[in-house]
Amino acid sequence: MDTQVVRNRGIGKLVLRRLGFAAPVLLLVSFALFALAKASPFDPIERYFGVRIVGASPERVAQIRENWGVDQPVVQQYCAWLRHAVTGDFGDSLSLQQPVSQVVGDRLGWSVLLVAIGFALALLLGLVLGTAAAWFQGSWIDRVITAVSYALEAAPVFWLGLAALYVFALQLQWLPGGGLTDADASLSFGQVSKHLVLPVSVLAISQAPWFVLFVRQNLLESFTQDHVIGARSRGLPDRLVVSGHALRTSLLPFLTLLGARLPELITGALLVETVFSWPGIARATVEAALNVDFALLGALTVLATAVVLLGNLLADVLYALADPRVVLDG
């Protein structure tokens, strides 16, 4: 049988195994959230009534508890939620007074836009600056890039966001400080682009240091490998040696880093959206946590878990496609 056909079947089996593993993980995460909500001292009925619960009749409160099913055992509550969740019904958000599916649908696109552009920019910065640092190893360029990368690696994302707000929005007034559009403007490409610059830049800069240092280290290791030394001994220009030989082999481990950085990327997006009032999923997660909105918080947590699992799977598949030597053992 053709080697490529066998390879494709192996990748297909890898995908099926990982998807089979993802299902129990999502079930475990969602059930854990239900168990935590049940054990929590916060009462969703009291949250719903607010101060009005003082004047509410006990019969009215008991009726709502029965309608919501909060007086049932946690396993029974979870099974009822799961039956609705598989059809796309995740309940209603108490804090936003909307169905959870509508909240996610309205905000998911803006989060994807922010994360996709920020992640792509972080990758570009990592490749360019990491290659430059390795190429000019020991020079002032290498020292500056490495020092700045280590400093940014330790800097909290919210601190970078607040610093960017202070400098570019308050002092220089070059860019808007938050939101999707200006207060008196309608939604347009120009408005969204202008308001996207600061959050995208902060998210990219917060993620780029790991890529910069990773690319630099792997390139330096590639420079000592036989095929790179042989290319230089044949008189090939350094630029061709780096781009055609060293960089190509050093980028294979780089693919695994993409999946590993997804949880940090989601956390960074959460903080960036909060600082810049970006109307995305991450900001809704903060609102759900602050308002003890378990229905919304549970759905968003399950969604974030699914994204991380999918990202790790994608990184493994890309690595297997890029390097035929990888053993597809799942």
Side-chain angles (χ1 to χ4, degrees):
M1 186 178 294
D2 184 74
T3 305
Q4 186 60 42
V5 174
V6 175
R7 189 75 183 166
N8 292 338
R9 287 184 178 180
I11 293 176
K13 291 180 180 179
L14 170 65
V15 172
L16 292 177
R17 282 195 297 268
R18 292 300 178 86
L19 292 178
F21 171 77
V25 170
L26 293 176
L27 290 174
L28 181 61
V29 168
S30 57
F31 180 76
L33 286 170
F34 260 80
L36 289 174
K38 189 68 174 179
S40 169
F42 299 102
D43 189 345
I45 304 301
E46 293 182 0
R47 185 70 186 177
Y48 171 75
F49 275 101
V51 295
R52 295 176 300 161
I53 198 171
V54 177
S57 65
E59 294 78 10
R60 171 66 172 166
V61 175
Q63 182 63 46
I64 293 182
R65 287 188 183 278
E66 182 180 352
N67 293 340
W68 286 11
V70 296
D71 55 344
Q72 299 174 351
V74 62
V75 175
Q76 191 173 347
Q77 289 186 44
Y78 175 72
C79 291
W81 174 86
L82 188 60
R83 286 195 301 269
H84 291 87
V86 294
T87 65
D89 180 10
F90 293 92
D92 296 323
S93 168
L94 298 180
S95 59
L96 299 177
Q97 299 297 313
Q98 290 179 318
V100 171
S101 57
Q102 182 179 345
V103 174
V104 174
D106 292 343
R107 295 169 178 257
L108 183 59
W110 299 119
S111 285
V112 171
L113 179 65
L114 172 65
V115 171
I117 298 178
F119 199 42
L121 183 57
L123 291 178
L124 180 62
L125 289 173
L127 289 174
V128 173
L129 296 179
T131 302
W135 196 340
F136 299 103
Q137 180 188 10
S139 67
W140 67 269
I141 296 177
D142 180 26
R143 290 194 294 269
V144 168
I145 292 176
T146 304
V148 172
S149 296
Y150 278 119
L152 291 176
E153 196 175 34
V157 179
F158 70 88
W159 183 87
L160 294 176
L162 293 175
L165 274 177
Y166 177 77
V167 174
F168 297 103
L170 296 179
Q171 295 298 316
L172 300 177
Q173 297 185 359
W174 288 353
L175 294 166
L180 195 60
T181 63
D182 294 337
D184 56 347
S186 59
L187 187 65
S188 65
F189 177 80
Q191 280 287 319
V192 173
S193 300
K194 183 172 64 173
H195 284 255
L196 192 60
V197 172
L198 276 183
V200 160
S201 300
V202 170
L203 184 59
I205 291 173
S206 69
Q207 298 298 315
W210 281 269
F211 299 132
V212 172
L213 297 174
F214 191 88
V215 170
R216 176 185 179 275
Q217 181 62 33
N218 278 273
L219 270 178
L220 292 178
E221 293 176 0
S222 295
F223 290 161
T224 62
Q225 295 179 0
D226 293 339
H227 70 282
V228 176
I229 297 174
R232 280 180 165 170
S233 65
R234 293 195 300 270
L236 295 178
D238 285 345
R239 182 173 59 182
L240 184 59
V241 171
V242 172
S243 61
H245 294 77
L247 187 60
R248 181 179 300 177
T249 56
S250 65
L251 287 184
L252 289 175
F254 184 70
L255 294 175
T256 61
L257 182 64
L258 303 185
R261 293 302 305 169
L262 268 179
E264 290 291 336
L265 181 67
I266 294 175
T267 303
L270 186 150
L271 296 173
V272 167
E273 288 188 5
T274 303
V275 170
F276 292 98
S277 300
W278 187 257
I281 290 292
R283 187 183 173 198
T285 304
V286 175
E287 294 174 0
L290 293 176
N291 290 282
V292 202
D293 191 345
F294 285 115
L296 180 57
L297 186 62
L300 295 178
T301 304
V302 171
L303 177 62
T305 304
V307 170
V308 172
L309 292 173
L310 184 61
N312 285 319
L313 171 60
L314 182 60
D316 290 341
V317 170
L318 290 176
Y319 193 97
L321 291 173
D323 189 356
R325 299 168 299 175
V326 174
V327 178
L328 298 174
D329 57 358

